[in-house]
Amino acid sequence: MSEPLVTAYLGALGAMVSGPKALVRRAAVEAEDIDPALDVSEDRLREYIAAADPNDELRVQLHIRLATWDHAPIEPGLWMGDTKPNTEMRRARIMKLLGLGDKTAADFADYFSIATDDDTVIAGEWEPWYTADLQRQRDFYWSHYVAYLRKRRKWKAGAITRLDAATSRVLERFANPAQSKPVPTRGLVVGYVQSGKTANFAGVIAKAIDAGYRLIIVMTGTTNLLREQTQRRLDMELVGRENILRGIDEDDIEAAKHIDYLDDEDWIKGRFNRYGVQPRTLGKPEIRRMTTRRFDYRSLQQGLSALEFERTDKNKPVWSPENLYLTDARLIVVKKNESVLQNLISDLKNNADRLEDIPALIIDDESDQASINTVDPDKQSADAKKERTTINERISTLLQMLPRVQYVGYTATPFANVFSDYTDKNDVFPSDYLLALRRPLDYMGVEDFHDIDSSVPESERTFANSKERVHVRLIDDGDEEFAFQQALDSFVLAGAIKLYRQGLSPDEDHYRHHTMLVHEAAKKAKHKIRAETIQELWSRSGYTLASGMRRLRELYDGDFAPASHGLGLGYPMPASFAELEPLIGRVVRRIAPNGDPVLVINSNKEPDQEELDFDRRSVWRILVGGNKLARGFTVEGLTITYYLRTVGHAEALMQMGRWFGFRPGYRDLVRLFITAKIRDAFEAACRDEELFRDELRQYAVMADGRPLVTPADIQPLVARHGLRPTAANKMRYAQLVEKRSPSKEPSSGYPALVEREKLRHNVKVMTPLLRVASKRSTLSAGTRSFEALTGEVSHAVMVDVLKQLQWRTDDTFKADLAWIESLDDRAIDKWIIVLPQRRSDRSVTIPGLGTFSLHGRKIENGGLRGNSESLHRAGLASLGGRTSTAGCAIIYPVIDKDRACEDLPHDTWPDGVVMAIRLELPEKAVPAGTKPLVYRVAAKRRIPTGNHEW
């Protein structure tokens, strides 16, 4: 391929600072300086892109530019006209402005598709200021951060465009740092566990510094491990070598004592970000670190002047444009600790600058941990000063001290945040916006370990059609020792496969770390006992003996080889275990160089304990621990997990999931050893999380440019079944009166299995719906199809049925029913009843009505979870006779999946069968502009007005 062609087109793209322009013509101008005879025609461009690798530089830059233009918000008088972002009309306009023909446009649509699965934003109104023009003018740190992600971390173009869009969504909801009026904001970004939230807030910080924010405070959970990990990540990828050195000569022994990375392998090998020169020489602000990897925030060792901001014009405040853009930014990375935060508050109080003049940003990572005020408001008098928990009080003080502060919480488990007191303007409730990030590319989450909504019978599940079959190994009661030996063998075998793959691709850095996590309890005494048993088991596992090799060979032939083949990811695997056998000795020596494979990670510090340091050295170890290896902390190279710890609520459970995340080059080797009970709890938490996200997506719409739902409306959307969503002392409630959503699925709201009379009552109530479902139909979704019994009833009949149903609690369906009952025939005049039928002969006979397929579901909290299946939901689109005023009801007779093989009686209604239902309302039932939620807020203590002291 022609390198000059790439150079010419990259130059043409680089010149398009204000929007898309004639691409081929500009490439021809660039080619004049390279080779006047160079062919840069549109046909040649199309040929090159068709043959190029997806990571080719020109292809990546085209992808990024097109995605940026696709996503750009409409700005009066600019190139986008009135075309809406991420639409076919917008892309057509871009192609026209680029001067490209229909054939090229069609090819580009295939290679660089328009992003349609956007992040979800729930927000109030805001003042637009973060324009495309401003972003082009001020992108020093952002552009270098993107270059680092592409070149050093090998991010794909799609991942970068997603990051760009998501971070801009956050920035545009900040206040303009250069405006005279102080406007604080409160926001929340919701990601997935181990899904790259740090990359998102690093991007937000980069754009914020470019835009003019000058005091950056990052709060990183409650442990030193997490704070140090975050500090190093920001230093390496964003702060960069020049800002760390600040002119210090690395060869000066005395001066070098102040540099915390001289012995760091990534520093030595040049892997820290570089700007080429000191940013100030380019007229850009520098980033001054007030904390280092070694030291959390203390009373300033550099003196209070280190927190005082330079002003070119002493007569104007820091925020004025004459001062703001030449003033250096201060970066402070702290853990949420009482004394650390108090030191910071004290230094800010004594600062010579007016705090109300400083544009500040607070990033609160793991914002549902420690930040939430858990003091019971009912135990405080209405007129007293509001009591707060210690960390919440410190954060509230910072928010009051800094009138220009933009507070952004980050978490994967947001329930505690949305339950916090939204009437308290000095608290962390995300009153201005909530951004739910899309699931990242190549991410492994809960659904990658569970067969949620699978229509494949368990007896027919294989490595090719079952995620759980590939990744999950259930631990039966009494088989713990056997399961742990298998986990240990899996760890050794996976290590050998990693070495095999490393040998084929020596330049890949995916296999620097190889870890196994053992998490069974929080107590340190149990960690010590487990470490000793692992050491004993390791010593008698005989990995270099015939017995050990035989176990590994059987594990490879029966598990790892067929599982990798079934996943079909294309990772190289040896033709037989014989190719791995010579590598086993190397694996054993790397895992246990001194005979001990274990690192215990807790607050106990043994004098001879090796430090866990993923940054400075390669780590191949078995890690035993509890809370320190849970929330927020990334266990690098994690491949095998042995997890037995039970917790009391979904938030804690999800945060224990260190096995979620990115596993480049070894996704097929990941194994999770858990009990069936814990597996079911994770699956339930996953369903609740996705239900919450689905609810947000339904309500993240605008009507006439105004939001239908603001963050204050979110509390009632949180599902409260299965495990509690968060700790009881973090929960505040609002009573939902009407829920005007287009779909209804009270999957865990049915009566408990012991409430037999209620269950039988519900069968009788549903008789009118079951009786009409007599027509056998074939419904389809894509290439898949299923049989169903269908029929129709009037809206009046459906309402009568719904009013008589009995639920687990009185509030389960109350708000949904209130809305449905209020609809008249103009909105909905009939309901189509759908009973999906299974291929198997598993069925139940209802006397007088007929025989219906029976569906297996899991027991949860004493009741059956009557969730619908994705195939059945999608199949509704193929229903004949469905009009704009017709609703759909999917009905499932469900039973405990473990009883699926029982012979059920045919002459009476069997115990343990629950009638589950999902409702889909027609379009006209939820007209545009309708406020989707009506609720009544639970009484809260009055917040005293007046001045606050801090």
Side-chain angles (χ1 to χ4, degrees):
M1 294 301 175
S2 175
E3 184 66 31
L5 176 81
V6 174
T7 303
Y9 271 101
L10 288 177
L13 287 171
M16 296 183 193
V17 295
S18 58
K21 301 283 174 56
L23 179 60
V24 177
R25 190 171 67 202
R26 279 164 172 73
V29 173
E30 296 288 333
E32 287 293 327
D33 294 331
I34 302 171
D35 178 2
L38 180 64
D39 181 7
V40 292
S41 65
E42 185 173 341
D43 289 343
R44 183 71 188 92
L45 171 65
R46 200 165 51 246
E47 291 173 6
Y48 180 87
I49 295 301
D53 183 271
N55 293 318
D56 172 81
E57 179 73 10
L58 177 55
R59 186 163 171 160
V60 167
Q61 287 299 331
L62 273 169
H63 190 164
I64 292 173
R65 283 305 179 102
L66 287 171
T68 302
W69 292 328
D70 283 339
H71 185 75
I74 296 174
E75 295 182 35
L78 293 187
W79 62 266
M80 65 282 297
D82 59 357
T83 58
K84 294 181 179 179
N86 297 326
T87 61
E88 295 287 350
M89 289 182 64
R90 169 63 65 81
R91 178 59 72 86
R93 185 170 182 83
I94 293 168
M95 291 294 108
K96 182 178 180 180
L97 292 172
L98 289 173
L100 300 175
D102 293 343
K103 190 172 183 180
T104 305
D107 286 353
F108 280 18
D110 289 336
Y111 305 140
F112 316 118
S113 59
I114 301 169
T116 55
D117 54 334
D118 211 350
D119 303 303
T120 302
V121 182
I122 303 290
E125 297 180 65
W126 75 97
E127 189 68 32
W129 67 277
Y130 193 62
T131 64
D133 189 49
L134 185 148
Q135 294 176 53
R136 286 192 298 272
Q137 292 176 19
R138 305 192 180 282
D139 72 339
F140 179 77
Y141 283 105
W142 169 250
S143 62
H144 280 83
Y145 181 55
V146 166
Y148 183 90
L149 294 178
R150 280 196 53 243
K151 296 174 182 177
R152 179 62 61 191
R153 295 194 51 197
K154 310 298 183 185
W155 275 39
K156 298 177 182 177
I160 288 174
T161 59
R162 284 185 171 202
L163 180 67
D164 187 17
T167 50
S168 289
R169 284 287 185 91
V170 177
L171 259 291
E172 66 189 14
R173 283 163 175 83
F174 286 6
N176 185 347
Q179 70 184 21
S180 58
K181 180 183 178 182
V183 178
T185 64
R186 310 279 189 271
L188 179 67
V189 177
V190 182
Y192 293 80
V193 175
Q194 294 287 96
S195 66
K197 295 187 298 296
T198 305
N200 186 281
F201 71 67
V204 167
I205 292 170
K207 289 186 174 183
I209 293 174
D210 285 335
Y213 282 91
R214 290 299 176 256
L215 176 60
I216 314 295
I217 302 170
V218 181
M219 299 186 293
T220 64
T222 60
T223 66
N224 284 323
L225 271 177
L226 181 53
R227 195 209 73 80
E228 290 167 4
Q229 192 176 64
T230 304
Q231 177 84 54
R232 182 185 183 276
R233 176 89 174 268
L234 291 174
D235 285 348
M236 183 175 179
E237 299 181 1
L238 175 60
V239 176
R241 196 177 188 97
E242 290 81 5
N243 284 320
I244 292 171
L245 290 174
R246 290 188 57 78
I248 293 176
D249 182 358
E250 293 179 70
D251 296 325
D252 184 330
I253 297 177
E254 284 302 313
K257 292 179 180 178
H258 301 287
I259 304 171
D260 40 351
Y261 296 113
L262 288 186
D263 61 343
D264 189 301
E265 181 180 341
D266 287 327
W267 179 277
I268 295 167
K269 293 186 176 181
R271 294 172 180 157
F272 275 60
N273 204 349
R274 287 178 179 266
Y275 298 102
V277 296
Q278 287 296 130
R280 180 163 290 280
T281 64
L282 301 175
K284 306 298 181 183
E286 297 187 352
I287 302 175
R288 298 192 191 184
R289 299 184 305 154
M290 302 291 101
T291 54
T292 67
R293 185 181 185 275
R294 297 172 187 160
F295 298 112
D296 203 340
Y297 191 87
R298 304 175 177 180
S299 291
L300 280 173
Q301 295 174 327
Q302 305 101 314
L304 285 175
S305 60
L307 267 178
E308 293 174 2
F309 293 85
E310 313 79 28
R311 286 183 289 166
T312 303
D313 188 337
K314 303 292 185 183
N315 296 316
K316 293 185 177 180
V318 174
W319 56 260
S320 69
E322 293 83 358
N323 291 322
L324 187 62
Y325 301 117
L326 296 176
T327 299
D328 291 344
R330 271 65 171 178
L331 174 65
I332 304 172
V333 182
V334 296
K335 65 177 175 292
K336 285 183 257 189
N337 172 276
E338 176 182 356
S339 60
V340 170
L341 292 177
Q342 186 55 55
N343 286 338
L344 175 58
I345 289 168
S346 298
D347 283 347
L348 286 172
K349 285 181 184 179
N350 295 321
N351 191 352
D353 285 307
R354 287 162 47 92
L355 296 180
E356 58 267 33
D357 290 342
I358 302 172
L361 168 62
I362 293 178
I363 299 289
D364 187 354
D365 192 19
E366 305 300 334
S367 60
D368 57 322
Q369 181 190 35
S371 301
I372 305 300
N373 184 21
T374 59
V375 174
D376 188 348
D378 295 331
K379 295 182 179 180
Q380 302 175 54
S381 65
D383 296 322
K385 181 180 178 181
K386 184 169 185 176
E387 293 181 31
R388 300 181 184 276
T389 46
T390 302
I391 300 302
N392 178 265
E393 188 276 331
R394 299 288 189 270
I395 296 173
S396 177
T397 298
L398 285 169
L399 296 179
Q400 294 175 68
M401 290 174 68
L402 299 164
R404 295 177 181 273
V405 71
Q406 315 299 302
Y407 170 90
V408 190
Y410 277 80
T411 183
T413 47
F415 303 127
N417 299 80
V418 300
F419 281 139
S420 59
D421 186 358
Y422 72 87
T423 67
D424 186 350
K425 303 304 181 185
N426 298 314
D427 211 335
V428 298
F429 181 82
S431 54
D432 293 288
Y433 60 91
L434 184 151
L435 172 65
L437 297 174
R438 288 173 283 182
R439 177 186 164 92
L441 300 171
D442 301 324
Y443 170 72
M444 288 188 77
V446 179
E447 60 268 44
D448 294 291
F449 292 84
H450 299 271
D451 295 328
I452 297 173
D453 280 355
S454 174
S455 59
V456 180
E458 290 194 33
S459 60
E460 299 176 19
R461 294 181 186 178
T462 66
F463 290 125
N465 63 27
S466 170
K467 300 171 185 176
E468 187 172 316
R469 182 84 172 81
V470 172
H471 297 297
V472 178
R473 302 293 173 265
L474 294 181
I475 304 170
D476 297 325
D477 289 339
D479 279 350
E480 288 85 357
E481 185 173 349
F482 172 80
F484 200 91
Q485 180 68 70
Q486 188 183 38
L488 211 57
D489 292 347
S490 297
F491 183 50
V492 172
L493 181 59
I497 297 172
K498 286 184 179 182
L499 290 182
Y500 170 82
R501 292 175 180 174
Q502 182 77 65
L504 298 177
S505 304
D507 294 333
E508 292 289 349
D509 199 31
H510 300 324
Y511 314 115
R512 180 184 180 194
H513 306 297
H514 179 53
T515 53
M516 172 176 170
L517 173 62
V518 179
H519 190 156
E520 297 172 284
K523 294 184 178 179
K524 291 174 282 189
K526 291 189 176 182
H527 300 163
K528 184 177 181 180
I529 293 171
R530 171 50 83 179
E532 291 171 352
T533 61
I534 294 173
Q535 291 160 2
E536 180 184 350
L537 185 59
W538 178 267
S539 66
R540 53 186 172 87
S541 289
Y543 289 116
T544 57
L545 303 178
S547 59
M549 288 294 182
R550 183 172 58 252
R551 287 199 319 274
L552 295 178
R553 181 180 295 106
E554 291 172 355
L555 188 61
Y556 180 79
D557 292 339
D559 184 336
F560 278 74
S564 182
H565 177 74
L567 275 181
L569 297 175
Y571 295 150
M573 289 289 279
S576 70
F577 177 75
E579 294 182 63
L580 296 176
E581 195 165 343
L583 302 174
I584 300 300
R586 284 176 56 192
V587 172
V588 171
R589 288 190 295 275
R590 288 192 70 172
I591 294 173
N594 300 314
D596 184 359
V598 182
L599 285 181
V600 177
I601 311 299
N602 57 35
S603 56
N604 283 353
K605 294 198 175 182
E606 301 293 337
D608 56 347
Q609 171 75 55
E610 178 185 336
E611 182 184 5
L612 177 63
D613 193 334
F614 292 115
D615 304 329
R616 285 180 163 81
R617 62 186 66 89
S618 171
V619 177
W620 283 48
R621 287 289 188 278
I622 300 169
L623 310 179
V624 177
N627 292 340
K628 276 202 167 189
L629 292 175
R631 174 186 286 273
F633 185 73
T634 299
V635 181
E636 302 286 357
L638 181 58
T639 310
I640 310 297
T641 302
Y642 187 89
Y643 181 87
L644 294 182
R645 182 175 172 184
T646 57
V647 294
H649 50 83
E651 172 198 305
L653 186 69
M654 294 294 285
Q655 289 290 353
M656 298 294 169
R658 296 301 94 190
W659 51 92
F660 307 138
F662 301 92
R663 302 290 181 262
Y666 61 99
R667 186 185 182 109
D668 57 328
L669 308 182
V670 174
R671 298 293 184 270
L672 171 61
F673 290 78
I674 53 173
T675 65
K677 182 178 180 181
I678 294 174
R679 176 203 60 187
D680 293 347
F682 267 106
E683 183 174 317
C686 174
R687 289 185 182 279
D688 288 345
E689 177 187 6
E690 284 307 309
L691 177 61
F692 179 64
R693 290 175 183 272
D694 287 343
E695 295 272 19
L696 292 181
R697 280 189 282 269
Q698 289 188 55
Y699 302 137
V701 294
M702 307 282 279
D704 299 325
R706 300 174 67 87
L708 290 177
V709 171
T710 63
D713 300 322
I714 290 172
Q715 291 190 42
L717 300 184
V718 178
R720 299 185 181 98
H721 39 256
L723 291 172
R724 284 196 314 270
T726 186
N729 64 354
K730 295 180 181 178
M731 297 178 73
R732 303 288 183 265
Y733 293 98
Q735 183 181 356
L736 189 58
V737 178
E738 279 189 9
K739 185 178 177 186
R740 303 168 177 176
S741 56
S743 60
K744 314 284 186 184
E745 184 168 320
S747 58
S748 290
Y750 302 107
L753 292 176
V754 296
E755 298 179 286
R756 294 185 177 88
E757 290 305 316
K758 283 187 176 182
L759 296 178
R760 293 192 183 106
H761 168 84
N762 285 350
V763 177
K764 294 176 183 178
V765 167
M766 282 200 177
T767 296
L769 310 184
L770 301 174
R771 182 174 288 125
V772 301
S774 57
K775 178 183 177 183
R776 184 166 287 272
S777 306
T778 300
L779 306 187
S780 61
T783 59
R784 303 169 65 197
S785 63
F786 64 95
E787 298 294 310
L789 297 175
T790 63
E792 294 182 5
V793 296
S794 68
H795 181 53
V797 170
M798 176 60 80
V799 169
D800 186 57
V801 169
L802 296 176
K803 287 169 68 175
Q804 296 181 65
L805 289 175
Q806 296 184 8
W807 304 92
R808 177 70 70 94
T809 68
D810 291 340
D811 290 336
T812 296
F813 200 67
K814 188 175 181 180
D816 299 278
L817 178 59
W819 169 238
I820 295 172
E821 190 176 5
S822 71
L823 299 172
D824 59 24
D825 289 345
R826 290 171 297 180
I828 181 167
D829 56 7
K830 68 178 180 180
W831 288 83
I832 301 175
I833 310 304
V834 178
L835 274 82
Q837 302 298 292
R838 304 182 64 85
R839 295 195 305 269
S840 68
D841 59 358
R842 186 170 63 190
S843 61
V844 61
T845 299
I846 303 177
L849 291 178
T851 301
F852 305 92
S853 280
L854 196 59
H855 302 260
R857 295 293 187 267
K858 292 180 179 178
I859 294 178
E860 179 184 288
N861 255 16
L864 284 173
R865 188 175 187 114
N867 50 282
S868 62
E869 297 179 23
S870 57
L871 172 61
H872 302 155
R873 296 193 298 270
L876 296 181
S878 66
L879 270 172
R882 188 175 182 185
T883 66
S884 62
T885 56
C888 294
I890 309 177
I891 298 175
Y892 299 91
V894 298
I895 193 170
D896 177 7
K897 66 181 185 64
D898 294 332
R899 294 182 56 199
C901 297
E902 288 184 15
D903 290 328
L904 300 177
H906 291 278
D907 56 348
T908 184
W909 187 253
D911 286 338
V913 176
V914 176
M915 297 299 291
I917 190 168
R918 177 185 173 89
L919 304 178
E920 294 280 351
L921 277 74
E923 278 182 37
K924 288 193 175 181
V926 191
T930 298
K931 187 174 178 60
L933 301 175
V934 179
Y935 67 97
R936 181 169 57 250
V937 182
K940 298 182 183 292
R941 69 185 294 276
R942 184 173 64 82
I943 303 298
T945 58
N947 295 328
H948 296 275
E949 295 181 2
W950 40 264

